[in-house]
Amino acid sequence: MKKSEKISFALLGLLAVGLMVVALRYDLALDHMLFSPQNPFAIIMEAFCFWPLYLPFALLGIVWANLYPGDVRRILGNLFVVLTFGALLFLSLPNLAKRGLTNGYSSPLGILLTFVLTLAAIKLAGRWQKATLLRMEFLAKFGILFCILNNVIIHLMKGLWTRMRYDDMAKLGDFSSFTPWVRFGEVAGNTSFPSGHTAAACGILVLLLLPRLFAKLRGKELLLLVICYGYIALSGFSRLIIGRHYLSDTVAAATTITLLFLALTALPIFRKKLEETNRKADAIE
């Protein structure tokens, strides 16, 4: 990691600490101010912002479909792509309908879009050189591991905190069950802290590995960092607008998953596999 990246992450850490302190006082007030459950931006983000965490499954699929012709992995690859896009669309499209942003037809549209996205993704990857496919395979496998650990950690935290969601209290017209983020385990069955959607949006952090895999992208680290955290910030902000989370829920999720990303990329085995991938790809080019 470059010095500029280390400084950027340190500044992000300080910002996160500051926001968590602010949230102790203003968590509930911010949701009161921002709450707008019919906001189109928030509804669309709710439906799609979690996609980055699961797209590595599709990426691995399109890589295998093109890298291993005549191998069972080609069949598995095609299956991964169809199942990933199908599952994501059948989660996202009904959510738009439930929130009143579309008029239904989720199933036929989901089937059509699954077919179109699968075909387009495999066709696009078919233009990649073998070296690019090898690098993308590494990225996809890292992303899948990142996805699994992300879900495990966030769901464990939700089980510890059991914080009641803002919109659930809004429906009751009673906010007496609100708890600050420093208290946990008081109301069983609630899942507000931390924000799962924000944590899933952090799946976009795999893009930060691109400069380590592709020489042409070296020097673009800070740009990618801005893109990634801009997306995460928008995802977190949308969760406040729609009333599913508080500021502290979103900041805690982003901070936790950032730490997970940094821990994984600091492991010796990660560096070893990255070097092996680049060496094999360089030998082909």
Side-chain angles (χ1 to χ4, degrees):
M1 188 183 294
K2 291 183 177 181
K3 185 178 179 180
S4 59
E5 290 179 277
K6 292 179 180 178
I7 293 171
S8 297
F9 277 114
L11 291 174
L12 285 170
L14 289 174
L15 176 62
V17 170
L19 289 173
M20 292 299 280
V21 172
V22 169
L24 274 174
R25 184 178 179 89
Y26 296 108
D27 250 351
L28 189 57
L30 281 170
D31 271 35
H32 282 327
M33 181 176 67
L34 295 171
F35 186 49
S36 179
Q38 297 306 313
N39 181 284
F41 162 73
I43 292 172
I44 292 169
M45 290 300 287
E46 180 178 56
F48 295 101
C49 76
F50 64 93
W51 278 43
L53 188 63
Y54 301 97
L55 286 176
F57 288 94
L59 177 60
L60 184 64
I62 63 174
V63 168
W64 280 8
N66 288 279
L67 189 58
Y68 303 107
D71 191 309
V72 68
R73 282 174 289 187
R74 181 172 187 175
I75 299 171
L76 287 173
N78 284 297
L79 187 61
F80 282 176
V81 182
V82 171
L83 290 177
T84 301
F85 284 133
L88 290 174
L89 286 164
F90 276 87
L91 284 170
S92 297
L93 296 179
N95 195 66
L96 294 177
K98 182 183 75 175
R99 293 282 186 179
L101 206 60
T102 62
N103 294 319
Y105 305 106
S106 295
S107 296
L109 185 59
I111 293 169
L112 175 63
L113 288 176
T114 298
F115 175 76
V116 170
L117 288 174
T118 298
L119 203 62
I122 293 175
K123 188 75 173 176
L124 173 65
R127 299 180 180 179
W128 293 347
Q129 299 294 325
K130 187 176 181 181
T132 299
L133 289 169
L134 285 173
R135 291 186 166 102
M136 286 300 194
E137 184 179 30
F138 173 87
L139 192 71
K141 288 179 177 178
F142 176 88
I144 290 170
L145 175 63
F146 189 46
C147 172
I148 294 168
L149 294 177
N150 182 316
N151 276 290
V152 169
I153 291 169
I154 292 301
H155 283 90
L156 283 174
M157 292 176 69
K158 283 179 178 290
L160 284 173
W161 260 265
T162 62
R163 190 185 198 186
M164 195 167 184
R165 294 180 185 271
Y166 178 89
D167 64 342
D168 289 336
M169 289 186 285
K171 289 172 187 174
L172 299 172
D174 179 9
F175 296 95
S176 61
S177 297
F178 170 77
T179 55
W181 67 266
V182 289
R183 286 161 55 187
F184 57 92
E186 295 189 7
V187 188
N190 292 295
T191 57
S192 185
F193 186 96
S195 168
H197 274 70
T198 307
C202 290
I204 199 172
L205 292 177
V206 297
L207 295 182
L208 298 180
L209 300 182
L210 290 175
R212 305 191 197 187
L213 289 163
F214 297 95
K216 290 181 180 180
L217 291 174
R218 284 167 198 164
K220 306 293 185 183
E221 291 85 357
L222 288 181
L223 174 61
L224 288 170
L225 197 73
V226 170
I227 291 171
C228 288
Y229 281 98
Y231 180 78
I232 293 167
L234 287 174
S235 299
F237 184 61
S238 73
R239 303 308 284 155
L240 272 68
I241 295 173
I242 212 161
R244 295 298 284 166
H245 289 288
Y246 308 96
L247 174 64
S248 56
D249 296 344
T250 62
V251 175
T255 303
T256 300
I257 302 308
T258 295
L259 291 173
L260 171 64
F261 176 81
L262 293 175
L264 288 176
T265 55
L267 290 174
I269 191 170
F270 167 82
R271 295 175 183 175
K272 180 182 177 182
K273 293 294 184 182
L274 178 64
E275 289 172 3
E276 287 177 0
T277 299
N278 281 330
R279 190 162 52 247
K280 287 179 183 177
D282 289 342
I284 295 171
E285 287 177 333

